Amino acid sequence: MSMIQQKSTKIKTLTIHSVFNRRSLEASNLEPRGAYPRNVIWCVHGTQTYIILSMAKSEASGVAIQNMLSTASSSLAAFLSEIGDGVISKGGIAWPGIGDIGFLAWNSNNHQTTWGVLRAAVAALNDYMSRNGYGAATFTIADGLNIVGKGYVGIIGQLPA
């Protein structure tokens, strides 16, 4: 029996080059999709920086998160323009937003996050969320081959385990 014949016999009502009848699938064979995207890799154009993002269930306001990320991006740009790039001191940063909304980022994997890489990570978060919706998320920051940081955006005190 050829490979094509073997595959077509697994789905009894569907053969190659036939019209697909969606009612022929049994619902018990379908896996439910998660409500929140997990482990999405989002690259920053023109850099070696990318994030691995997982959206989280939260009551966080999307508008508040959008405003906070916009403010963080502007502040990081001004900081880099005036002071320049360097390692984030004390191993991380907590950025308060409106109400209980906040942004946390910290070093990870025995590496240090720089202000420039953090700005790129914020740009990646903003780019992803502007296309897919603003909300709470955890993320890992990678610079080239190295995981250099981790972070969270959302309601402070609701950091997912």
Side-chain angles (χ1 to χ4, degrees):
M1 191 179 268
S2 74
M3 181 74 96
I4 294 173
Q5 288 172 332
Q6 284 177 346
K7 286 187 178 181
S8 66
T9 59
K10 288 182 182 179
I11 303 174
K12 295 176 185 175
T13 59
L14 178 65
T15 56
I16 297 174
H17 300 294
S18 67
V19 177
F20 177 69
N21 179 356
R22 64 188 165 107
R23 290 182 178 87
S24 66
L25 292 176
E26 293 180 34
S28 62
N29 294 337
L30 300 176
E31 294 288 324
R33 292 183 181 172
Y36 302 96
R38 297 292 213 195
N39 300 322
V40 175
I41 297 174
W42 205 259
C43 302
V44 181
H45 181 70
T47 73
Q48 296 182 56
T49 303
Y50 61 93
I51 60 172
I52 304 167
L53 170 81
S54 292
M55 297 299 289
K57 182 178 180 179
S58 174
E59 299 297 320
S61 162
V63 172
I65 290 175
Q66 180 181 10
N67 289 337
M68 192 212 36
L69 289 176
S70 177
T71 301
S73 181
S74 299
S75 297
L76 285 165
F79 181 88
L80 286 165
S81 174
E82 292 176 25
I83 297 173
D85 200 5
V87 173
I88 297 172
S89 62
K90 299 182 183 178
I93 185 169
W95 210 302
I98 299 169
D100 293 338
I101 303 296
F103 174 86
L104 306 171
W106 57 92
N107 295 332
S108 180
N109 200 32
N110 203 29
H111 286 82
Q112 295 178 316
T113 305
T114 64
W115 292 105
V117 168
L118 181 60
R119 179 178 182 214
V122 169
L125 282 168
N126 204 24
D127 185 46
Y128 175 84
M129 290 184 183
S130 70
R131 297 167 193 254
N132 299 287
Y134 287 88
T138 58
F139 56 93
T140 300
I141 305 168
D143 186 25
L145 298 176
N146 299 312
I147 301 297
V148 297
K150 292 192 178 225
Y152 170 75
V153 60
I155 297 175
I156 300 303
Q158 288 187 354
L159 182 64

